[in-house]
Amino acid sequence: MISSVNHTPKFLVLVILLIAFFLVNISLGSVRIPVDAIISILLGKDHNQEAWTYIIIDYRIPKAIAALLTGSGLAVSGLMMQTLFKNPLAGPYVLGISSGASLGVAFFILGGSAVGLSSILIPGSWGTIIAASLGSFAVLSVVLLVASRVRDAMALLIIGLMFGSLTAAVVSILAYFSPAEDLQRYMFWSFGSLGDISWGALQLLCLCYSIGIVLALSICKSLNSLLLGESYAQSIGVSIQKSRFIILISTSILAGSLTAFVGPIAFVGLAVPHLIRQWFTASNHWVLMPACMLGGALLLLFCDTIAQMPGLDFTLPINAITSIIGAPIVIWLLIRKKKLLF
Protein backbone atom coordinates (compact mmCIF):
# COMPACT_ATOMS: atom_id res chain seq x y z
CA MET A 1 0.00 0.00 0.00
CA ILE A 2 2.85 2.38 0.82
CA SER A 3 5.40 2.77 -1.96
CA SER A 4 9.10 3.44 -1.44
CA VAL A 5 9.39 5.28 -4.77
CA ASN A 6 11.11 8.66 -4.51
CA HIS A 7 8.54 11.28 -5.52
CA THR A 8 10.75 14.30 -4.79
CA PRO A 9 11.35 15.24 -8.46
CA LYS A 10 7.61 15.32 -9.14
CA PHE A 11 7.01 17.48 -6.08
CA LEU A 12 9.74 19.87 -7.26
CA VAL A 13 8.07 20.14 -10.66
CA LEU A 14 4.74 21.00 -9.02
CA VAL A 15 6.34 23.60 -6.75
CA ILE A 16 8.23 25.27 -9.62
CA LEU A 17 5.12 25.34 -11.81
CA LEU A 18 3.07 26.71 -8.92
CA ILE A 19 5.48 29.59 -8.34
CA ALA A 20 5.64 30.33 -12.06
CA PHE A 21 1.86 30.39 -12.48
CA PHE A 22 1.44 32.51 -9.35
CA LEU A 23 3.72 35.16 -10.85
CA VAL A 24 2.02 34.88 -14.25
CA ASN A 25 -1.40 35.18 -12.62
CA ILE A 26 -0.62 38.44 -10.82
CA SER A 27 1.07 39.90 -13.89
CA LEU A 28 -1.90 39.46 -16.26
CA GLY A 29 -5.21 41.27 -16.30
CA SER A 30 -7.28 43.92 -18.03
CA VAL A 31 -4.74 46.56 -16.93
CA ARG A 32 -1.27 46.02 -18.36
CA ILE A 33 1.45 46.51 -15.74
CA PRO A 34 5.14 46.17 -16.69
CA VAL A 35 7.05 43.30 -15.11
CA ASP A 36 9.64 45.62 -13.55
CA ALA A 37 6.83 47.60 -11.90
CA ILE A 38 5.30 44.39 -10.51
CA ILE A 39 8.65 43.33 -9.06
CA SER A 40 9.12 46.78 -7.56
CA ILE A 41 5.67 46.65 -5.95
CA LEU A 42 6.24 43.14 -4.59
CA LEU A 43 9.53 44.25 -3.03
CA GLY A 44 7.71 47.08 -1.27
CA LYS A 45 9.47 49.90 -3.09
CA ASP A 46 7.75 53.22 -3.66
CA HIS A 47 6.12 53.51 -7.05
CA ASN A 48 4.76 56.57 -8.83
CA GLN A 49 1.69 54.68 -10.11
CA GLU A 50 -0.57 54.29 -7.08
CA ALA A 51 -3.27 52.63 -9.19
CA TRP A 52 -0.85 49.84 -10.14
CA THR A 53 0.05 49.30 -6.49
CA TYR A 54 -3.62 49.05 -5.57
CA ILE A 55 -4.34 46.56 -8.37
CA ILE A 56 -1.44 44.30 -7.42
CA ILE A 57 -1.68 44.47 -3.61
CA ASP A 58 -5.42 44.73 -3.07
CA TYR A 59 -6.80 42.76 -6.00
CA ARG A 60 -4.44 40.44 -7.86
CA ILE A 61 -2.46 39.03 -4.91
CA PRO A 62 -5.56 38.28 -2.77
CA LYS A 63 -7.17 36.69 -5.83
CA ALA A 64 -4.11 34.52 -6.49
CA ILE A 65 -3.92 33.46 -2.83
CA ALA A 66 -7.63 32.65 -2.90
CA ALA A 67 -6.98 30.44 -5.94
CA LEU A 68 -4.18 28.64 -4.05
CA LEU A 69 -6.35 27.98 -1.00
CA THR A 70 -9.46 27.04 -2.97
CA GLY A 71 -7.73 24.69 -5.39
CA SER A 72 -5.71 22.88 -2.74
CA GLY A 73 -8.59 22.68 -0.26
CA LEU A 74 -11.07 21.26 -2.77
CA ALA A 75 -8.52 18.75 -4.06
CA VAL A 76 -7.81 17.46 -0.54
CA SER A 77 -11.54 17.26 0.19
CA GLY A 78 -12.14 15.29 -2.99
CA LEU A 79 -9.31 12.89 -2.14
CA MET A 80 -10.79 12.16 1.29
CA MET A 81 -14.30 11.64 -0.09
CA GLN A 82 -13.10 9.26 -2.81
CA THR A 83 -11.16 7.24 -0.25
CA LEU A 84 -13.97 7.17 2.31
CA PHE A 85 -16.66 6.12 -0.16
CA LYS A 86 -14.34 4.18 -2.53
CA ASN A 87 -16.17 5.95 -5.34
CA PRO A 88 -14.32 7.70 -8.20
CA LEU A 89 -17.27 10.08 -8.66
CA ALA A 90 -17.20 11.33 -5.09
CA GLY A 91 -16.11 14.93 -4.64
CA PRO A 92 -16.01 17.60 -1.93
CA TYR A 93 -19.63 18.56 -2.59
CA VAL A 94 -21.08 15.05 -2.48
CA LEU A 95 -22.32 15.51 1.10
CA GLY A 96 -24.47 18.46 0.10
CA ILE A 97 -22.25 21.07 1.79
CA SER A 98 -22.09 23.22 -1.34
CA SER A 99 -25.82 22.80 -1.82
CA GLY A 100 -26.35 24.04 1.72
CA ALA A 101 -24.23 27.10 0.98
CA SER A 102 -26.19 27.70 -2.20
CA LEU A 103 -29.44 27.41 -0.26
CA GLY A 104 -28.24 29.94 2.30
CA VAL A 105 -27.28 32.41 -0.41
CA ALA A 106 -30.56 31.76 -2.23
CA PHE A 107 -32.55 32.60 0.90
CA PHE A 108 -30.48 35.76 1.36
CA ILE A 109 -30.60 36.96 -2.25
CA LEU A 110 -33.71 35.41 -3.76
CA GLY A 111 -35.76 35.36 -0.59
CA GLY A 112 -34.31 38.65 0.61
CA SER A 113 -36.80 40.72 -1.34
CA ALA A 114 -39.56 39.81 1.09
CA VAL A 115 -37.69 41.28 4.08
CA GLY A 116 -35.67 43.97 2.33
CA LEU A 117 -32.28 42.28 2.53
CA SER A 118 -31.68 42.29 -1.23
CA SER A 119 -31.65 46.07 -1.28
CA ILE A 120 -28.46 46.18 0.77
CA LEU A 121 -26.76 43.19 -0.85
CA ILE A 122 -23.63 43.72 -2.93
CA PRO A 123 -21.62 40.96 -4.63
CA GLY A 124 -18.91 39.58 -2.37
CA SER A 125 -20.43 41.18 0.74
CA TRP A 126 -20.16 39.73 4.21
CA GLY A 127 -23.90 39.10 4.05
CA THR A 128 -23.42 36.57 1.27
CA ILE A 129 -20.52 34.94 3.11
CA ILE A 130 -22.49 34.64 6.34
CA ALA A 131 -25.54 33.27 4.53
CA ALA A 132 -23.45 30.65 2.73
CA SER A 133 -21.68 29.71 5.96
CA LEU A 134 -24.96 29.25 7.81
CA GLY A 135 -26.34 27.10 4.99
CA SER A 136 -23.21 24.92 5.00
CA PHE A 137 -23.30 24.60 8.79
CA ALA A 138 -26.97 23.57 8.72
CA VAL A 139 -26.30 20.78 6.22
CA LEU A 140 -23.15 19.75 8.12
CA SER A 141 -25.16 19.40 11.33
CA VAL A 142 -27.67 17.14 9.62
CA VAL A 143 -24.93 15.08 7.94
CA LEU A 144 -23.12 14.54 11.24
CA LEU A 145 -26.37 13.53 12.90
CA VAL A 146 -27.05 11.04 10.14
CA ALA A 147 -23.45 9.76 10.25
CA SER A 148 -23.83 8.96 13.95
CA ARG A 149 -26.82 6.73 13.14
CA VAL A 150 -25.76 5.20 9.82
CA ARG A 151 -22.86 2.75 9.72
CA ASP A 152 -22.83 2.13 5.97
CA ALA A 153 -20.70 4.69 4.10
CA MET A 154 -22.65 4.14 0.88
CA ALA A 155 -25.91 5.01 2.65
CA LEU A 156 -24.30 8.23 3.86
CA LEU A 157 -23.25 9.01 0.30
CA ILE A 158 -26.79 8.51 -0.99
CA ILE A 159 -28.22 10.65 1.81
CA GLY A 160 -25.76 13.41 0.90
CA LEU A 161 -26.90 13.28 -2.70
CA MET A 162 -30.52 13.47 -1.56
CA PHE A 163 -29.72 16.57 0.47
CA GLY A 164 -28.26 18.11 -2.67
CA SER A 165 -31.40 17.33 -4.65
CA LEU A 166 -33.65 18.69 -1.90
CA THR A 167 -31.79 21.99 -1.59
CA ALA A 168 -31.71 22.34 -5.39
CA ALA A 169 -35.48 21.98 -5.44
CA VAL A 170 -35.92 24.69 -2.80
CA VAL A 171 -33.57 27.01 -4.71
CA SER A 172 -35.60 26.41 -7.88
CA ILE A 173 -38.80 27.42 -6.10
CA LEU A 174 -37.17 30.58 -4.72
CA ALA A 175 -35.82 31.40 -8.17
CA TYR A 176 -39.23 30.96 -9.76
CA PHE A 177 -40.79 33.65 -7.55
CA SER A 178 -37.80 36.05 -7.55
CA PRO A 179 -37.42 39.23 -9.59
CA ALA A 180 -34.93 39.21 -12.47
CA GLU A 181 -32.42 41.45 -10.67
CA ASP A 182 -32.13 39.13 -7.64
CA LEU A 183 -31.99 36.09 -9.88
CA GLN A 184 -29.11 37.64 -11.80
CA ARG A 185 -27.21 38.29 -8.54
CA TYR A 186 -27.63 34.69 -7.49
CA MET A 187 -26.53 33.43 -10.89
CA PHE A 188 -23.36 35.53 -10.75
CA TRP A 189 -22.57 34.11 -7.32
CA SER A 190 -23.11 30.56 -8.59
CA PHE A 191 -20.54 31.16 -11.34
CA GLY A 192 -17.84 31.38 -8.67
CA SER A 193 -15.42 34.27 -8.31
CA LEU A 194 -11.92 34.55 -6.89
CA GLY A 195 -11.69 38.31 -7.31
CA ASP A 196 -14.26 39.52 -4.79
CA ILE A 197 -12.27 38.72 -1.65
CA SER A 198 -10.64 41.32 0.60
CA TRP A 199 -7.60 40.88 2.82
CA GLY A 200 -9.86 40.72 5.88
CA ALA A 201 -11.98 37.96 4.37
CA LEU A 202 -8.84 36.19 3.17
CA GLN A 203 -7.47 36.04 6.72
CA LEU A 204 -10.65 34.36 7.96
CA LEU A 205 -10.57 31.99 5.00
CA CYS A 206 -6.94 31.10 5.81
CA LEU A 207 -7.98 30.23 9.37
CA CYS A 208 -10.77 27.90 8.21
CA TYR A 209 -8.47 26.39 5.57
CA SER A 210 -5.70 25.74 8.12
CA ILE A 211 -8.09 23.95 10.49
CA GLY A 212 -9.43 21.77 7.68
CA ILE A 213 -5.96 20.87 6.34
CA VAL A 214 -4.57 20.04 9.80
CA LEU A 215 -7.51 17.69 10.39
CA ALA A 216 -6.97 16.13 6.95
CA LEU A 217 -3.27 15.51 7.58
CA SER A 218 -4.02 14.02 10.99
CA ILE A 219 -6.16 11.33 9.38
CA CYS A 220 -3.70 10.15 6.68
CA LYS A 221 -2.89 6.91 8.50
CA SER A 222 -6.57 6.02 8.77
CA LEU A 223 -7.14 6.89 5.11
CA ASN A 224 -4.34 4.51 4.13
CA SER A 225 -5.91 1.71 6.15
CA LEU A 226 -9.39 2.38 4.72
CA LEU A 227 -8.03 1.62 1.25
CA LEU A 228 -7.83 -2.02 2.28
CA GLY A 229 -11.33 -2.08 3.71
CA GLU A 230 -13.01 -1.27 7.00
CA SER A 231 -12.39 -4.78 8.37
CA TYR A 232 -8.63 -4.41 7.90
CA ALA A 233 -8.70 -0.91 9.39
CA GLN A 234 -10.50 -2.18 12.49
CA SER A 235 -8.07 -5.09 12.80
CA ILE A 236 -5.13 -2.69 13.20
CA GLY A 237 -6.94 -0.58 15.77
CA VAL A 238 -8.46 2.17 13.63
CA SER A 239 -11.77 3.53 14.92
CA ILE A 240 -14.01 3.67 11.84
CA GLN A 241 -16.57 5.92 13.50
CA LYS A 242 -13.96 8.40 14.73
CA SER A 243 -12.09 8.42 11.41
CA ARG A 244 -15.30 8.97 9.45
CA PHE A 245 -16.26 11.82 11.79
CA ILE A 246 -12.90 13.59 11.34
CA ILE A 247 -13.03 13.12 7.55
CA LEU A 248 -16.53 14.59 7.41
CA ILE A 249 -15.60 17.53 9.64
CA SER A 250 -12.43 18.30 7.65
CA THR A 251 -14.22 18.07 4.28
CA SER A 252 -17.12 20.16 5.52
CA ILE A 253 -14.87 22.91 6.90
CA LEU A 254 -12.85 23.07 3.69
CA ALA A 255 -15.70 22.78 1.18
CA GLY A 256 -18.10 24.90 3.22
CA SER A 257 -15.73 27.80 3.92
CA LEU A 258 -14.33 27.87 0.40
CA THR A 259 -17.80 27.87 -1.13
CA ALA A 260 -18.90 30.61 1.26
CA PHE A 261 -16.05 32.92 0.28
CA VAL A 262 -15.55 32.26 -3.45
CA GLY A 263 -18.72 30.46 -4.51
CA PRO A 264 -19.03 26.91 -5.85
CA ILE A 265 -16.01 25.86 -7.91
CA ALA A 266 -16.66 22.82 -10.09
CA PHE A 267 -14.41 19.96 -11.21
CA VAL A 268 -11.25 20.66 -9.15
CA GLY A 269 -12.11 18.47 -6.16
CA LEU A 270 -13.33 15.64 -8.36
CA ALA A 271 -10.58 15.52 -10.96
CA VAL A 272 -7.32 16.53 -9.26
CA PRO A 273 -7.11 13.39 -7.05
CA HIS A 274 -7.41 11.25 -10.19
CA LEU A 275 -4.78 13.26 -12.03
CA ILE A 276 -2.40 13.02 -9.07
CA ARG A 277 -2.93 9.27 -8.68
CA GLN A 278 -2.26 8.73 -12.37
CA TRP A 279 0.97 10.73 -12.30
CA PHE A 280 2.38 9.65 -8.93
CA THR A 281 1.09 6.04 -9.22
CA ALA A 282 0.82 6.00 -5.43
CA SER A 283 -1.85 5.15 -2.87
CA ASN A 284 -0.09 6.47 0.23
CA HIS A 285 -2.00 9.51 1.48
CA TRP A 286 1.16 11.00 2.97
CA VAL A 287 2.19 11.39 -0.68
CA LEU A 288 -1.21 12.03 -2.24
CA MET A 289 -2.34 14.68 0.26
CA PRO A 290 0.47 17.23 -0.32
CA ALA A 291 0.53 16.38 -4.02
CA CYS A 292 -3.20 17.14 -4.29
CA MET A 293 -2.67 20.41 -2.43
CA LEU A 294 -0.06 21.49 -4.97
CA GLY A 295 -1.92 20.08 -7.97
CA GLY A 296 -5.25 21.65 -7.01
CA ALA A 297 -3.68 25.05 -6.40
CA LEU A 298 -1.80 24.84 -9.70
CA LEU A 299 -4.87 23.85 -11.71
CA LEU A 300 -7.06 26.62 -10.31
CA LEU A 301 -4.33 29.23 -10.81
CA PHE A 302 -4.00 28.10 -14.41
CA CYS A 303 -7.78 28.21 -14.95
CA ASP A 304 -8.02 31.65 -13.35
CA THR A 305 -5.27 32.92 -15.62
CA ILE A 306 -7.21 31.69 -18.65
CA ALA A 307 -10.47 33.12 -17.28
CA GLN A 308 -8.96 36.61 -17.04
CA MET A 309 -8.65 36.78 -20.81
CA PRO A 310 -5.45 38.91 -20.78
CA GLY A 311 -5.87 42.16 -22.65
CA LEU A 312 -9.67 42.22 -22.40
CA ASP A 313 -11.83 44.05 -19.88
CA PHE A 314 -13.95 41.09 -18.75
CA THR A 315 -13.44 37.83 -16.88
CA LEU A 316 -15.06 34.53 -17.82
CA PRO A 317 -16.81 32.43 -15.13
CA ILE A 318 -14.17 30.37 -13.36
CA ASN A 319 -16.57 27.39 -13.13
CA ALA A 320 -16.83 27.23 -16.90
CA ILE A 321 -13.07 27.33 -17.38
CA THR A 322 -12.33 24.59 -14.82
CA SER A 323 -14.80 22.26 -16.53
CA ILE A 324 -13.79 23.09 -20.11
CA ILE A 325 -10.09 22.59 -19.37
CA GLY A 326 -10.31 19.75 -16.88
CA ALA A 327 -13.01 17.42 -18.09
CA PRO A 328 -11.36 16.48 -21.43
CA ILE A 329 -8.06 15.82 -19.63
CA VAL A 330 -9.67 13.41 -17.19
CA ILE A 331 -11.64 11.67 -19.95
CA TRP A 332 -8.41 11.18 -21.89
CA LEU A 333 -6.61 9.83 -18.82
CA LEU A 334 -9.41 7.39 -18.02
CA ILE A 335 -9.54 6.11 -21.60
CA ARG A 336 -5.77 5.79 -21.67
CA LYS A 337 -5.39 4.07 -18.30
CA LYS A 338 -8.74 2.24 -18.41
CA LYS A 339 -8.55 1.87 -14.64
CA LEU A 340 -8.64 4.18 -11.65
CA LEU A 341 -6.00 3.74 -8.98
CA PHE A 342 -7.56 2.96 -5.60
Side-chain angles (χ1 to χ4, degrees):
M1 181 172 62
I2 298 178
S3 174
S4 60
V5 177
N6 182 14
H7 297 289
T8 302
K10 294 179 181 178
F11 275 110
L12 287 176
V13 170
L14 287 176
V15 170
I16 292 172
L17 288 175
L18 188 62
I19 294 173
F21 272 102
F22 184 88
L23 295 176
V24 170
N25 187 267
I26 64 175
S27 65
L28 296 178
S30 58
V31 177
R32 184 182 178 278
I33 303 177
V35 176
D36 57 340
I38 294 175
I39 295 175
S40 177
I41 292 170
L42 292 177
L43 294 176
K45 297 180 180 179
D46 293 333
H47 202 276
N48 55 5
Q49 290 282 353
E50 294 184 5
W52 289 356
T53 302
Y54 173 81
I55 291 172
I56 295 295
I57 300 299
D58 293 322
Y59 180 76
R60 291 187 183 178
I61 291 181
K63 181 167 65 67
I65 295 176
L68 293 176
L69 299 178
T70 303
S72 61
L74 292 179
V76 168
S77 299
L79 174 66
M80 290 190 292
M81 288 293 95
Q82 290 171 10
T83 300
L84 175 64
F85 296 118
K86 295 183 177 62
N87 189 323
L89 296 179
Y93 301 142
V94 74
L95 296 177
I97 303 300
S98 174
S99 299
S102 299
L103 182 61
V105 174
F107 272 119
F108 185 62
I109 298 178
L110 303 180
S113 300
V115 292
L117 288 177
S118 60
S119 61
I120 62 172
L121 179 66
I122 57 173
S125 68
W126 281 99
T128 307
I129 294 172
I130 294 172
S133 300
L134 291 175
S136 298
F137 180 76
V139 173
L140 169 61
S141 300
V142 177
V143 168
L144 292 179
L145 178 62
V146 171
S148 65
R149 297 173 178 268
V150 175
R151 294 186 177 274
D152 185 8
M154 190 56 63
L156 183 61
L157 174 62
I158 295 173
I159 291 171
L161 293 174
M162 293 304 100
F163 276 128
S165 299
L166 179 62
T167 54
V170 176
V171 171
S172 297
I173 293 174
L174 289 172
Y176 183 81
F177 291 103
S178 297
E181 182 181 356
D182 290 347
L183 188 57
Q184 186 181 44
R185 284 177 180 162
Y186 177 77
M187 288 299 297
F188 277 126
W189 177 84
S190 68
F191 289 157
S193 175
L194 301 170
D196 293 332
I197 187 167
S198 64
W199 279 109
L202 192 60
Q203 291 175 359
L204 183 56
L205 177 59
C206 285
L207 175 61
C208 297
Y209 170 86
S210 300
I211 295 172
I213 289 297
V214 168
L215 287 174
L217 292 173
S218 71
I219 206 70
C220 279
K221 181 179 178 181
S222 297
L223 288 169
N224 284 336
S225 64
L226 286 173
L227 288 175
L228 297 179
E230 293 187 357
S231 299
Y232 172 80
Q234 288 177 323
S235 70
I236 62 174
V238 174
S239 173
I240 300 300
Q241 198 73 8
K242 180 182 178 182
S243 299
R244 184 188 298 176
F245 181 80
I246 295 176
I247 292 171
L248 294 178
I249 287 289
S250 175
T251 299
S252 300
I253 291 175
L254 288 172
S257 61
L258 293 170
T259 303
F261 281 89
V262 304
I265 303 295
F267 172 78
V268 176
L270 173 64
V272 169
H274 293 312
L275 298 173
I276 292 299
R277 284 193 188 94
Q278 298 282 7
W279 190 31
F280 278 75
T281 60
S283 57
N284 181 10
H285 283 76
W286 287 112
V287 174
L288 294 177
M289 194 80 74
C292 281
M293 292 172 64
L294 293 172
L298 176 60
L299 177 62
L300 198 54
L301 268 179
F302 174 72
C303 291
D304 182 59
T305 302
I306 300 299
Q308 292 181 81
M309 295 294 289
L312 300 180
D313 57 354
F314 62 86
T315 301
L316 293 174
I318 186 66
N319 264 338
I321 301 302
T322 54
S323 298
I324 289 173
I325 292 178
I329 296 175
V330 174
I331 292 172
W332 177 78
L333 281 173
L334 296 180
I335 293 174
R336 179 171 173 264
K337 288 291 183 179
K338 299 181 180 179
K339 183 180 179 181
L340 293 173
L341 294 174
F342 270 98

